[in-house]
Amino acid sequence: METELSKRLGVEHAIFGFTPFPAVAAAITRAGGFGVLGAVRYTAPDDLARDLDWMQAHTDGLPYGLDVVMPAKKVEGVTEADVEAMIPEGHRRFVAETLAKHGVPELADGEASGWRITGWMEQVARGQLDVAFDYPIALLANALGSPPPDVVHRAHDRGVLVAALAGSAKHARRHAEAGIDIVVAQGYEAGGHTGEIASMVLTPEVVEAVSPLPVLAAGGIGSGEQIAAGLALGAQGVWLGSIWLTTTEADLHSPALTAKLLAAGSGDTVRSRALTGKPARQLRTEWTDAWDHPDGPGPLPMPLQGLLVAEAVSRIQKYEVEPLLGTPVGQIVGRMTSERGVREVFDDLTRGFERAVARLNRIAQRSR
């Protein structure tokens, strides 16, 4: 699965694997793909440095990248406390009542509430970059569109390629105008933040819109046959995220959540604003149902919703409250039926790709 882009980056397979887990990202790189570590959960620079040190020691000198979340437009002087103060009291009551309805215990006195979505705030992402640029990352990806111009220049000055996700051809053109090197065409089927256009339609539209920039196909891809389809549509590689959640190297810290993912079908996800305030595909749960119900207050915009529900999500995860327990994941979850190592997933992807290419070659030969 070699393309011009994979050759440029020095990887065997044009498979870009996004994951929040360093062990998974390193395993993707070692398997011949390109591991991309998600940085949004690293609110402390030392924690990111520790895991990048680990990546350096476990990637055998092969390339890897980092994914951050930062807005294209800079907002001066806004602190997390300023944002917290904007959350309506009625929404806080709704969270408390929903947790009480399901008997979710409180955190222990003095216990931190776990991951707060401060990584969405620009100053946090910039701190992550201050750390990351001390390491030989080969790619910087941004999940909220084009990074600010100074960040793009900073990456290019270090020889780092910049990628940005796009849910429409219009978004992709903006990325090209901003000097982005790679556009990730993320279809409606994808896990996490995603738009409204399906991958089969979106990928060729984006390829045409930004040519000759390389495009990665994303959303609903979890087999070698689907990779072949993405390349047939003009992409120079694929961007996979959800498929790694049930690998043995992943560290979800929740047997109950892993079990829910393995049991879920492709129809068991929902595109909801319940987690961050922006539409994000995730497992459908009683938590997402409560936020999407017309009698509820409705989710707040980003980043208010993420700050509002941070402690609640931590409590749900810690106590594994099954009806409320979920995670961002794409419709490909229906294919995630067993725990496998990253290498085994790669072997399955390459075999499926070979089958698809051989099938198409046979069809082409018969038509001559």
Side-chain angles (χ1 to χ4, degrees):
M1 286 180 278
E2 206 173 51
T3 66
E4 290 181 15
L5 180 60
S6 67
K7 291 177 183 177
R8 180 179 179 184
L9 286 167
V11 296
E12 182 181 359
H13 301 301
I15 298 174
F16 293 71
F18 164 79
T19 174
F21 307 115
V24 177
I28 291 168
T29 287
R30 292 196 307 272
F34 190 97
V36 181
L37 178 65
V40 71
R41 68 191 180 97
Y42 294 99
T43 56
D46 289 347
D47 291 341
L48 178 58
R50 176 202 65 213
D51 281 356
L52 288 176
D53 283 337
W54 190 93
M55 289 278 293
Q56 277 293 106
H58 292 84
T59 47
D60 299 338
L62 298 168
Y64 62 90
L66 192 75
D67 179 278
V68 297
V69 178
M70 64 189 313
K73 295 180 180 179
K74 189 171 183 177
V75 180
E76 299 283 0
V78 177
T79 67
E80 184 179 337
D82 295 331
V83 178
E84 284 265 17
M86 300 177 187
I87 298 174
E89 188 58 36
H91 280 72
R92 296 187 188 278
R93 284 198 303 271
F94 180 76
V95 170
E97 291 166 359
T98 303
L99 296 177
K101 176 182 175 182
H102 291 273
V104 182
E106 298 276 356
L107 296 175
D109 288 342
E111 183 177 359
S113 63
W115 176 53
R116 295 173 61 77
I117 309 182
T118 52
W120 305 114
M121 304 186 73
E122 183 182 357
Q123 62 267 33
V124 176
R126 286 184 177 274
Q128 294 164 349
L129 294 179
D130 289 340
V131 172
F133 283 140
D134 286 335
Y135 293 82
I137 61 171
L139 176 72
L140 173 66
N142 188 38
L144 278 185
S146 305
D150 67 295
V151 172
V152 176
H153 294 317
R154 191 177 174 190
H156 287 166
D157 286 345
R158 288 163 171 77
V160 178
L161 297 181
V162 181
L165 276 65
S168 71
K170 179 172 69 174
H171 294 158
R173 291 189 192 97
R174 290 177 187 165
H175 297 339
E177 292 166 0
I180 299 302
D181 304 291
I182 302 167
V183 177
V184 181
Q186 180 169 277
Y188 172 83
E189 309 95 324
H193 296 132
T194 186
E196 299 179 345
I197 305 173
S199 299
M200 184 65 72
V201 174
L202 179 66
T203 301
E205 284 187 350
V206 171
V207 168
E208 181 178 353
V210 302
S211 179
L213 286 184
V215 172
L216 301 178
I221 300 175
S223 72
E225 288 84 356
Q226 290 169 315
I227 294 174
L231 299 187
L233 293 172
Q236 287 198 33
V238 292
W239 178 276
L240 308 185
S242 297
I243 197 72
W244 316 112
L245 288 173
T246 52
T247 56
T248 53
E249 292 91 344
D251 192 8
L252 288 177
H253 298 294
S254 174
L257 180 55
T258 299
K260 287 188 76 169
L261 288 169
L262 294 175
S266 56
D268 292 328
T269 68
V270 63
R271 190 168 166 269
S272 170
R273 294 171 51 219
L275 184 60
T276 69
K278 286 176 68 72
R281 187 169 297 285
Q282 55 203 281
L283 280 180
R284 181 174 182 174
T285 66
E286 293 189 28
W287 177 255
T288 61
D289 287 348
W291 281 104
D292 295 337
H293 196 280
D295 293 339
L300 296 167
M302 179 187 279
L304 300 181
Q305 182 71 12
L307 292 172
L308 169 66
V309 305
E311 180 177 332
V313 171
S314 293
R315 289 164 60 185
I316 291 166
Q317 292 175 343
K318 175 179 179 179
Y319 299 109
E320 296 191 297
V321 183
E322 198 276 340
L324 304 178
L325 189 61
T327 186
V329 68
Q331 291 180 330
I332 198 62
V333 70
R335 294 185 65 94
M336 296 156 52
T337 57
S338 63
E339 291 188 77
R340 300 179 295 167
V342 167
R343 173 65 70 173
E344 186 178 352
V345 172
F346 256 84
D347 289 343
D348 184 56
L349 294 174
T350 53
R351 284 194 297 265
F353 180 81
E354 290 169 354
R355 287 194 300 269
V357 171
R359 186 183 308 120
L360 292 174
N361 284 337
R362 288 195 299 271
I363 292 171
Q365 289 169 1
R366 285 199 298 267
S367 65
R368 288 174 183 172

